[in-house]
Amino acid sequence: MSVATASPSTPTSGAHAARPGRLLRVVAWLSFLAEVIIIGTGGAVRLTGSGLGCSEWPLCTPESLVPTPELGIHGFIEFGNRTMTGVVGILALAVLVLTMLHVKARRELIRTGWFALGGVVLAGLALAITRSFVVAVSVALVAVIVAAIVTVRTAPARRDLLVLAWLVLIGVVAQGLVGGITVLTGLNPFIVGFHYASSVVLVTLTAAYLVRAYDVPGPRERAVPAWFAILTHVTTLALAVTIFAGVLTTANGPHSGDANVVRTGFDATVLAHVHSWPGYILLALVVVLTAAAALKRLRPLAWLVTLLAVIAVQVVVGVIQARNGLPELLVGIHMVLAGLSAAAFTVVVLRLKRPAQGASR
């Protein structure tokens, strides 16, 4: 979460360092919601066996960009998720452009436009030479990363917001690439798992952007005791292990994404128990943090209560789905709740600090 903490050298006065206006905050909220929704639509693709509903990428079939009636409902579900990826990308780009305009980084915005044009040209050349969309999108991704590095280094203010906005856009482009590789590799379980984990990371990044957008800009100082901050970061590890174990469990479960794809490898029943162990540890740690925050009236209290509620529901859903043969709807809910848990915990971590005295308001 270090990307969301402004350095002491970041300007803290004047219009450039002010909090974003309503339009930017609304678009940032839409970006966050879209990232959560795409976890749900991606889950629907997998849980309905529509992972290969479109046999090609980026086309749906060798002859058509959109699904044909012959593909049935699976084609439309898979294409719907691809369409949602486009929505996510547009919103991420809108947040980036509005952020640049907010901090008066017009020169950086122009540079970004040139990088975008260059990326499109280079990607087109790569496609013409290699006939591979994977290579073409990879070239475009490199152009986006270079543009991010150049523009952030010269931004006049609020580099915290610019870094987060760029990371989201880079992540969306990378997600599109990973999604294509997922289809082209016949739903390789490791790539499918990475695809989901990346979506969770994007949810946390958009949540972090919202937190910093609403906070007073400028240097920050710790707002909790050192032991509380350490315990919170230990809980971060528990959350990461819980999500990782959940990804492994789902990857080896019955919902492979396509009826003709059979998972082999780890025993899903054993993994379900392994997944529950860090999950219960996570719940216990959050209970301790919430109780401590309530006793000492610490800054993260409200979001710890929110996190505790989400995790409690997550545990109940997990137990019910495990005892009832992993019904598709409950598995989908479990996936979305994992993303929301990560988002809530992101806010908790960022609430460990507060604006330093003397920061602009």
Side-chain angles (χ1 to χ4, degrees):
M1 294 303 167
S2 59
V3 295
T5 303
S7 65
S9 61
T10 302
T12 60
S13 61
H16 292 189
R19 280 179 274 192
R22 178 176 297 180
L23 175 60
L24 177 50
R25 283 182 278 130
V26 168
V27 176
W29 269 109
L30 290 175
S31 180
F32 168 75
L33 292 174
E35 294 291 356
V36 174
I37 291 171
I38 203 169
I39 289 180
T41 60
V45 169
R46 182 170 188 171
L47 298 170
T48 59
S50 303
L52 297 177
C54 287
S55 60
E56 305 296 322
W57 180 86
L59 301 177
C60 187
T61 70
E63 297 81 22
S64 175
L65 173 65
V66 299
T68 60
E70 292 75 18
L71 296 176
I73 187 64
H74 295 309
F76 285 97
I77 292 175
E78 163 65 9
F79 188 76
N81 187 56
R82 294 187 185 188
T83 302
M84 190 64 204
T85 300
V87 173
V88 167
I90 291 171
L91 288 170
L93 180 60
V95 169
L96 176 63
V97 171
L98 290 173
T99 301
M100 287 185 170
L101 292 175
H102 167 67
V103 300
K104 312 299 182 185
R106 290 185 174 85
R107 182 177 61 180
E108 287 73 17
L109 182 56
I110 293 173
R111 286 180 178 175
T112 299
W114 281 112
F115 271 108
L117 179 60
V120 170
V121 172
L122 290 176
L125 290 174
L127 179 61
I129 295 171
T130 66
R131 301 294 180 181
S132 170
F133 282 103
V134 171
V135 173
V137 177
S138 298
V139 170
L141 177 60
V142 171
V144 173
I145 294 173
V146 173
I149 294 172
V150 172
T151 55
V152 169
R153 285 169 60 89
T154 59
R158 292 313 303 261
R159 292 182 183 176
D160 56 339
L161 293 182
L162 278 177
V163 167
L164 288 167
W166 270 115
L167 286 176
V168 173
L169 184 60
I170 290 170
V172 171
V173 176
Q175 276 288 71
L177 177 61
V178 173
I181 295 174
T182 301
V183 173
L184 297 177
T185 57
L187 306 183
N188 180 286
F190 295 103
I191 298 177
V192 171
F194 178 76
H195 196 42
Y196 171 76
S198 301
S199 296
V200 174
V201 171
L202 286 173
V203 168
T204 64
L205 289 173
T206 52
Y209 185 98
L210 284 169
V211 173
R212 296 299 288 127
Y214 280 90
D215 265 355
V216 173
R220 303 172 68 74
E221 60 187 14
R222 196 174 70 227
V224 300
W227 65 265
F228 187 92
I230 293 172
L231 185 59
T232 302
H233 293 306
V234 170
T235 307
T236 303
L237 178 61
L239 176 64
V241 172
T242 301
I243 292 177
F244 176 74
V247 169
L248 280 181
T249 303
T250 304
N252 289 272
H255 306 300
S256 62
D258 187 87
N260 296 319
V261 176
V262 179
R263 294 285 183 246
T264 58
F266 300 107
D267 187 327
T269 303
V270 174
L271 282 174
H273 290 289
V274 174
H275 173 44
S276 68
W277 299 337
Y280 289 128
I281 293 173
L282 172 65
L283 177 61
L285 287 171
V286 174
V287 168
V288 172
L289 288 172
T290 304
L295 288 173
K296 293 185 172 293
R297 298 183 179 276
L298 299 179
R299 193 168 187 252
L301 176 58
W303 281 98
L304 276 168
V305 172
T306 302
L307 175 64
L308 182 59
V310 175
I311 292 177
V313 175
Q314 180 81 319
V315 169
V316 172
V317 171
V319 171
I320 294 175
Q321 70 173 14
R323 293 182 177 179
N324 290 274
L326 302 178
E328 289 84 353
L329 179 60
L330 289 182
V331 174
I333 293 174
H334 201 58
M335 293 171 65
V336 173
L337 285 174
L340 292 176
S341 297
F345 193 79
T346 299
V347 182
V348 170
V349 171
L350 293 180
R351 284 286 180 264
L352 296 177
K353 291 187 176 183
R354 64 188 169 209
Q357 292 184 355
S360 63
R361 297 185 179 275

